[in-house]
């Protein structure tokens, strides 16, 4: 039984005649669908914002990790360079020391040269003292011999 005749138009453009109950049911279904679409749109927008926030946070964290990695690489390279420089310096010092040690008339360090000079002076004094002593001994022997022959 028709209580009301509703003249509508389908999406194809054809005219249709439906009862009021069917039209109300369709309106309610359309409203429910609109509410559901609106709810899903809001949820989609919220998730999109959340996803964008997560992406930004991830990008910041990734940048921090890249900086930390770059810093670690630079620190390692600097430490390796310092180690290599120290090794080369040590090798140069060892080579210089070996050259000083192996050179026949290499100049001595000041303290060692002063000690050598002091020992040479003492050696000269000792030689002079021993020569003087030997001369005196020879003189004494000669005097003793002449004493023996004269008496």
């Amino acid at each position: 039984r028709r209580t009301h005749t509703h003249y509508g138009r389908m999406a194809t453009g054809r005219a249709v005649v439906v009862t009021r109950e069917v039209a109300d049911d369709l309106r309610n279904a359309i409203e429910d669908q609109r509410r559901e679409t609106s709810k899903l749109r809001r949820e989609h927008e919220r998730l999109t914002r959340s996803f964008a926030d997560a992406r930004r946070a991830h990008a910041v964290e990734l940048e921090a990790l890249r900086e930390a990695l770059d810093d670690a690489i630079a620190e390692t390279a600097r430490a390796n360079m310092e180690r290599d420089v120290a090794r080369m310096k040590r090798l140069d010092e060892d080579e210089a020391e070996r050259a000083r040690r192996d050179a026949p008339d290499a100049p001595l360090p000041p303290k060692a040269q002063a000690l050598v000079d002091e020992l040479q002076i003492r050696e000269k004094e000792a030689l002079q003292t021993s020569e003087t002593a030997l001369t005196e001994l020879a003189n004494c022997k000669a005097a003793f011999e002449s004493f023996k022959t004269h008496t």
Side-chain angles (χ1 to χ4, degrees):
R1 98 186 151 82
R2 272 190 217 184
T3 59
H4 177 73
T5 302
H6 178 79
Y7 296 94
R9 189 169 293 279
M10 293 178 63
T12 58
R14 286 192 341 207
V16 293
V17 179
V18 294
T19 62
R20 175 181 231 154
E21 290 86 13
V22 172
D24 289 344
D25 289 345
L26 287 173
R27 267 196 295 278
N28 289 337
I30 289 171
E31 186 61 27
D32 290 346
Q33 190 70 37
R34 191 188 60 72
R35 276 195 296 271
E36 183 68 19
T37 302
S38 176
K39 186 173 86 173
L40 289 174
R41 186 178 297 116
R42 282 193 304 272
E43 182 69 10
H44 177 265
E45 289 170 358
R46 187 186 65 78
L47 289 174
T48 301
R49 283 192 302 271
S50 175
F51 178 65
D53 291 345
R55 256 195 1 233
R56 280 191 294 274
H58 176 71
V60 167
E61 186 176 345
L62 188 61
E63 182 61 28
L65 288 173
R66 282 191 179 129
E67 281 184 27
L69 179 62
D70 289 346
D71 291 348
I73 289 171
E75 180 64 24
T76 303
R78 189 186 60 73
N80 287 342
M81 189 173 63
E82 286 178 0
R83 187 192 64 222
D84 291 345
V85 166
R87 183 186 307 133
M88 294 302 291
K89 184 177 176 186
R90 192 175 61 246
L91 288 174
D92 289 346
E93 288 171 356
D94 290 349
E95 187 176 322
E97 180 62 31
R98 198 170 19 264
R100 274 196 300 274
R101 205 174 46 238
D102 296 345
D105 51 356
L108 294 172
K111 287 184 178 179
Q113 187 62 48
L115 184 62
V116 167
D117 293 344
E118 176 71 23
L119 290 176
Q120 286 174 343
I121 290 170
R122 286 187 190 174
E123 184 183 24
K124 284 179 188 173
E125 290 173 355
L127 281 174
Q128 288 171 354
T129 305
S130 67
E131 286 172 8
T132 306
L134 285 174
T135 306
E136 287 180 12
L137 177 64
N139 290 342
C140 286
K141 278 186 180 179
F144 184 67
E145 290 296 322
S146 71
F147 175 74
K148 277 182 15 185
T149 54
H150 290 324
T151 47

